[in-house]
Amino acid sequence: MIKKDKTKNKNDTDKVHLAGEYDKPNTASSMYGHGIDLLNAVSAGGDIITPFLPLFGIVSSVVDALNIIYQNAKCNKEICSALLDRVEIAQQATNSLQRKRNENEKNFINQEYYNSWVRFTYVLKNIKNFAKDVTQQQSIFRKYMNANAVKAAFDKNIKEFEEACRDLQFSMIIYSVEQRERDNKQIMEDICMVYKTINEVSDDVRIILKEVIILSSNMEQLKAQISKPGGGSASAKTLLNESYKVQTIHPSELKEPDSGSDNVRGKHQTVRKRIYLTMDVACKKFLTIEKNDTADSQKDQTELAILSLLGKCPRIVCFHGLSSIEQDDVMVFEWASYGNLKKVYTDYKISWTKKLQFISDIFCGLNFINNCGILHHDVRCENILITKNWGAKISNFKTSRQVEADTKPRSNLIDYVRWLAPEKLRNLETRYTHNFGMLVWELCYQMIPYEDKTLQQIQDHVKNKGRENLGIQFHPSRIARELAMLINQAWNDNPELRPSYPEVHSKIKNLEIYISKQSPRIFPKDKTNNDIPSIDSDQQSDQKSDKDPSIIVDIDLLEPNEMDAYELPHAKIPTVKVLKPFEDGVKASKERRHKEAWECFSEHANLGHSLAKYYKGFYLEKGYVVRNVEEGKKWIKIAADEGVPDAQLRYANMLRKDSKNSSNSSKNDASILYYLKQAADMENEAAMYYLGEIYCDGKYGTQKDEKKGIELIKLAALKNHPAAIDFMNKTNITY
């Protein structure tokens, strides 16, 4: 028997769903989606180019994404290459536009020009999604029935891209006839090669492939039902011990330091200061593998193995070896004079220049361990140690693992959930590559992420693509703004689109070169700006205070919560109306603030956002603000023709309703089948179920085919559609 998900209603055709591969609400990506922070900044006043910066950022993010998609392409690389070529030229035009901002001032205060940019971002996102689909063979199987459909979709994307470029006066991107012909020839050869393989697959095998695709998407949930893995074998432990020899330090070599309040550290007072070979060292209490064979001891074993690999990197805490103090086994590390970075940012006010230096040190270390094929898994300020020369070093490798190793279950979720990658919050068994956005945010704001939220609130917030506030993207300090961009990229819900450690390291080094004339500074938090020693006169980040012109304000020391009172030099009030994020409309709709949602959907729909067109049509049909069923039906059809699965399903159901009320019921049969097939191919479970019913009963002019119908209903059941599950249970069909 198949268990039904009680959270779904059987009659769910009147609900707006977000099935398919469409963007869902994401407050974290508001910088790239005209978010609320931008709206606040515009209302407070800013440079005329400010409303355009998130839009310019989308160009760069799509270029980055397309590069990754191209590198990972399993097929149709020529299509991806042709799209990438065009978007890269758009990026060059965007960079030129920003450099020549004064020459383009008339455009930056023109509402239609701003709207054209918004439309352009929709086109770019469509291009990215299309490229992702056609370069993965499993996506082609379920989304495109033949080579002509792929080519038509490519041509549509190119046409929309060039139209948007004309609106923005990017005339250089319009390709010549000769270039188009060369592209078309290469692309068609590429497509035909793929479909030659696809066409050799029988219909039965195609159904099986779809089942595999659906099951693989649920695989992480199925893993949780499998028994938990046990510890490693005795032979594996022996091999580990033989492969990673750790130095043993005789207890007599560890000398007592001078008395001091800081000689004992740690939550449980398990770290003691000693002197080893004239060096200050930290002796951390340790359960040895020989004395304790628990899961914790195996974690310690892994930690020792990793430390043996990493000890030579100057940005990772140095591990000297194992010893004992008063019958306690200890690990001996170098001593961090200032404790961990969390303690430092709690006790000190850190300049943006010094924050950048800390981040640079950290990413040097992360890049190193990444090159060693190891993931740290717990990167936060509490696990970064600060040495006597104010250098940052990575510590605490208890939760780390090798990249190819199995992911490990973790306890004490509350200790690290604030820094956890979103895919891990959704399923702790999921693998992920890296997540450092929250560490950078924590240091920038000098506070724990989501400090006022409970564990459950954090999980719900991040699972729904929420993130922390990112107001520093409008900070007067360039370092703060650049770090905000880095955080925003690192917060990407898709781990494949996050910047790699080498990419981040390169960006940080470039920023360090730019601000190399500024001196890193750290001052105790009990000092005010007036108590800080004199500031160099050539420091470009200094400004006169608006509150008291006689006071020099060091912007490099301005904290995120203090910078609202200061504006960038020569600030101008933008005259364009900034579009509210589409995600705000979705949120308002869920909260039944229908008027607010309607206004948002209408604006985005009128600028070409496909999913917004569906929502606008839905609102018109249901009459939440203004009722016009026929007009709503038109908008839903437009969204359906643009590939929105829920719109395809809804439009097919509207046609089915028309057929019941019409004397000529067969008139809409072909259209009903067409749109249901489109939605089913996009894995809309309701469409799969309805189409399966149609084939089982031989409705709408189809030939009765129970085998085909049952296969479709089975797919819908695998996607947890309640009516499909009922059907499978009643008919006792197993799979």
Side-chain angles (χ1 to χ4, degrees):
M1 298 288 285
I2 307 170
K3 293 184 178 180
K4 187 190 302 184
D5 184 350
K6 295 182 180 180
T7 62
K8 291 192 176 184
N9 294 325
K10 192 168 183 177
N11 184 16
D12 57 358
T13 58
D14 280 343
K15 290 187 177 181
V16 175
H17 299 283
L18 288 177
E21 297 184 20
Y22 292 88
D23 295 332
K24 296 185 181 182
N26 184 354
T27 56
S29 61
S30 62
M31 184 177 179
Y32 292 155
H34 333 304
I36 193 65
D37 286 335
L38 178 59
L39 292 172
N40 292 337
V42 170
S43 63
D47 196 294
I48 57 171
I49 201 174
T50 299
F52 292 83
L53 294 180
L55 306 176
F56 296 161
I58 289 177
V59 181
S60 296
S61 68
V62 170
V63 169
D64 292 343
L66 285 175
N67 271 300
I68 294 173
I69 291 169
Y70 180 80
Q71 293 167 12
N72 296 330
K74 302 296 187 295
C75 55
N76 287 325
K77 293 195 80 165
E78 289 296 338
I79 286 181
C80 190
S81 177
L83 295 171
L84 184 55
D85 287 344
R86 286 162 171 80
V87 179
E88 282 180 334
I89 298 175
Q91 185 180 37
Q92 294 173 15
T94 303
N95 293 339
S96 175
L97 186 65
Q98 293 183 77
R99 287 194 301 270
K100 300 176 180 179
R101 58 199 296 172
N102 292 334
E103 298 174 29
N104 293 282
E105 185 169 320
K106 289 184 178 179
N107 285 333
F108 291 140
I109 60 176
N110 184 299
Q111 185 66 47
E112 185 52 41
Y113 186 73
Y114 172 81
N115 292 344
S116 295
W117 259 102
V118 173
R119 283 192 291 267
F120 186 47
T121 63
Y122 297 156
V123 172
L124 292 178
K125 290 176 181 178
N126 289 339
I127 285 175
K128 180 187 70 175
N129 292 335
F130 171 71
K132 185 177 179 181
D133 287 340
V134 298
T135 53
Q136 300 298 318
Q137 191 158 315
Q138 65 179 28
S139 294
I140 295 176
F141 263 105
R142 67 179 189 258
K143 290 191 176 182
Y144 300 99
M145 300 304 295
N146 53 57
N148 291 332
V150 177
K151 184 58 170 62
F154 171 79
D155 290 341
K156 179 177 181 291
N157 276 282
I158 292 296
K159 180 182 177 183
E160 291 176 351
F161 177 78
E162 293 187 345
E163 287 175 351
C165 288
R166 287 191 188 96
D167 291 341
L168 296 174
Q169 301 167 18
F170 291 169
S171 57
M172 67 183 81
I173 304 175
I174 311 304
Y175 274 44
S176 65
V177 175
E178 293 78 8
Q179 180 63 45
R180 286 175 180 276
E181 289 177 354
R182 285 196 297 271
D183 281 352
N184 285 336
K185 182 180 179 181
Q186 292 173 338
I187 287 167
M188 284 309 298
E189 289 176 355
D190 209 14
I191 294 174
C192 290
M193 181 175 62
V194 173
Y195 273 91
K196 183 178 179 181
T197 303
I198 291 177
N199 290 333
E200 294 173 357
V201 178
S202 67
D203 288 340
D204 288 344
V205 175
R206 287 173 192 253
I207 292 291
I208 295 172
L209 280 170
K210 285 191 176 184
E211 290 187 40
V212 171
I213 291 168
I214 293 171
L215 286 172
S216 64
S217 68
N218 295 329
M219 186 59 69
E220 298 303 331
Q221 296 177 9
L222 294 175
K223 283 182 181 179
Q225 301 172 14
I226 301 174
S227 59
K228 300 295 182 183
S233 64
S235 60
K237 295 173 190 174
T238 302
L239 178 63
L240 185 64
N241 287 327
E242 292 177 352
S243 301
Y244 300 101
K245 295 293 184 182
V246 179
Q247 181 179 352
T248 300
I249 300 171
H250 195 275
S252 63
E253 297 181 83
L254 299 175
K255 308 297 183 183
E256 286 277 357
D258 295 334
S259 60
S261 59
D262 196 33
N263 287 346
V264 180
R265 290 179 179 173
K267 291 181 180 179
H268 305 291
Q269 304 290 290
T270 55
V271 179
R272 285 173 278 187
K273 185 178 181 180
R274 290 292 186 270
I275 299 174
Y276 170 62
L277 300 178
T278 73
M279 299 179 294
D280 290 342
V281 294
C283 299
K284 182 179 180 181
K285 200 171 181 180
F286 174 62
L287 294 175
T288 61
I289 297 167
E290 291 78 13
K291 291 184 178 181
N292 192 322
D293 198 28
T294 64
D296 284 338
S297 73
Q298 291 185 39
K299 288 182 182 179
D300 292 331
Q301 179 187 41
T302 304
E303 183 178 21
L304 289 177
I306 292 173
L307 288 174
S308 298
L309 291 172
L310 305 180
K312 295 182 180 180
C313 177
R315 300 306 177 197
I316 296 174
V317 66
C318 181
F319 172 57
H320 296 294
L322 297 177
S323 186
S324 62
I325 297 177
E326 300 170 358
Q327 298 183 343
D328 286 332
D329 295 305
V330 296
M331 295 184 292
V332 182
F333 297 94
E334 66 178 301
W335 181 256
S337 299
Y338 294 99
N340 61 53
L341 187 50
K342 179 186 175 185
K343 182 179 186 302
V344 169
Y345 76 59
T346 301
D347 296 341
Y348 292 89
K349 187 171 185 177
I350 310 172
S351 72
W352 285 103
T353 313
K354 189 61 186 177
K355 287 176 183 177
L356 179 64
Q357 184 179 316
F358 283 151
I359 291 169
S360 178
D361 289 349
I362 294 166
F363 277 100
C364 281
L366 289 174
N367 195 32
F368 178 81
I369 65 173
N370 183 61
N371 288 337
C372 292
I374 293 170
L375 299 177
H376 187 282
H377 263 330
D378 196 7
V379 183
R380 48 183 161 129
C381 288
E382 194 170 1
N383 290 331
I384 306 298
L385 299 182
I386 305 301
T387 60
K388 63 181 179 181
N389 61 351
W390 292 103
K393 296 197 175 190
I394 301 172
S395 70
N396 193 354
F397 288 84
K398 278 189 175 293
T399 58
S400 60
R401 65 170 173 80
Q402 291 181 304
V403 172
E404 300 303 325
D406 292 336
T407 188
K408 299 183 296 186
R410 296 175 62 178
S411 58
N412 299 325
L413 186 64
I414 191 63
D415 290 340
Y416 62 90
V417 68
R418 302 170 195 278
W419 296 267
L420 205 58
E423 62 269 22
K424 294 292 286 185
L425 271 176
R426 294 191 181 98
N427 189 337
L428 291 175
E429 300 294 328
T430 302
R431 300 177 67 89
Y432 74 99
T433 54
H434 54 258
N435 179 44
F436 46 78
M438 293 313 303
L439 163 77
V440 180
W441 186 94
E442 179 187 5
L443 179 55
C444 286
Y445 279 83
Q446 296 191 212
M447 61 187 293
I448 294 175
Y450 312 115
E451 196 164 23
D452 298 327
K453 283 184 167 61
T454 65
L455 171 62
Q456 188 61 52
Q457 287 173 334
I458 295 170
Q459 289 181 292
D460 293 342
H461 182 66
V462 178
K463 284 178 181 179
N464 291 325
K465 300 191 177 181
R467 300 293 186 271
E468 263 288 8
N469 169 58
L470 201 56
I472 59 169
Q473 59 190 302
F474 305 108
H475 196 286
S477 169
R478 173 173 174 174
I479 299 173
R481 298 195 301 273
E482 293 283 350
L483 290 178
M485 292 180 65
L486 174 62
I487 293 169
N488 205 7
Q489 292 170 349
W491 276 348
N492 196 301
D493 207 64
N494 184 349
E496 294 181 1
L497 302 184
R498 295 171 198 154
S500 65
Y501 289 138
E503 289 172 330
V504 173
H505 182 62
S506 176
K507 290 178 181 179
I508 291 171
K509 287 302 177 185
N510 290 337
L511 184 55
E512 282 185 312
I513 292 171
Y514 178 80
I515 52 91
S516 59
K517 292 183 180 179
Q518 300 181 5
S519 61
R521 284 156 294 171
I522 296 181
F523 299 97
K525 275 197 171 179
D526 58 357
K527 285 182 175 285
T528 64
N529 280 338
N530 294 331
D531 296 324
I532 294 172
S534 298
I535 299 169
D536 296 337
S537 60
D538 63 346
Q539 182 126 2
Q540 296 181 359
S541 64
D542 299 339
Q543 290 183 349
K544 295 284 186 180
S545 168
D546 291 334
K547 297 178 180 178
D548 185 348
S550 66
I551 299 176
I552 294 290
V553 179
D554 183 4
I555 288 179
D556 188 42
L557 280 165
L558 208 59
E559 293 188 21
N561 60 348
E562 298 174 327
M563 61 93 173
D564 293 338
Y566 304 97
E567 294 184 358
L568 291 170
H570 312 297
K572 298 179 181 179
I573 299 176
T575 59
V576 299
K577 177 188 175 184
V578 177
L579 194 65
K580 281 189 176 182
F582 171 74
E583 294 83 3
D584 280 10
V586 176
K587 182 180 179 182
S589 183
K590 288 180 178 179
E591 295 174 356
R592 299 185 181 277
R593 292 181 279 118
H594 291 139
K595 185 177 180 181
E596 183 180 338
W598 162 255
E599 291 173 354
C600 183
F601 295 149
S602 293
E603 287 182 327
H604 282 276
N606 294 339
L607 291 178
H609 194 292
S610 297
L611 196 52
K613 293 175 183 178
Y614 170 49
Y615 271 95
K616 182 175 181 177
F618 178 81
Y619 264 54
L620 285 168
E621 180 202 356
K622 303 303 292 185
Y624 287 147
V625 178
V626 178
R627 184 174 178 82
N628 189 329
V629 176
E630 286 304 312
E631 184 69 14
K633 186 175 180 180
K634 289 178 182 177
W635 280 102
I636 291 172
K637 183 180 186 301
I638 292 171
D641 291 335
E642 291 181 3
V644 178
D646 297 319
Q648 292 164 343
L649 171 65
R650 191 162 199 87
Y651 187 64
N653 284 336
M654 293 174 85
L655 294 177
R656 292 172 75 187
K657 184 177 179 181
D658 290 345
S659 294
K660 290 180 180 179
N661 300 330
S662 172
S663 57
N664 186 9
S665 60
S666 62
K667 183 174 64 175
N668 291 330
D669 287 357
S671 294
I672 292 169
L673 290 172
Y674 171 80
Y675 285 105
L676 278 179
K677 286 178 181 177
Q678 291 285 313
D681 287 339
M682 292 285 280
E683 296 184 9
N684 183 295
E685 59 268 30
M688 291 176 180
Y689 172 71
Y690 293 140
L691 194 59
E693 275 191 325
I694 289 171
Y695 282 119
C696 284
D697 298 336
K699 296 179 181 177
Y700 301 110
T702 63
Q703 185 174 353
K704 188 173 182 178
D705 189 337
E706 288 190 355
K707 180 182 177 182
K708 190 173 184 178
I710 290 172
E711 289 291 355
L712 283 165
I713 295 174
K714 183 191 296 184
L715 291 173
L718 285 169
K719 296 277 286 183
N720 209 25
H721 188 271
I725 292 173
D726 284 345
F727 177 90
M728 301 296 287
N729 288 335
K730 288 176 181 177
T731 54
N732 292 321
I733 298 175
T734 59
Y735 58 100

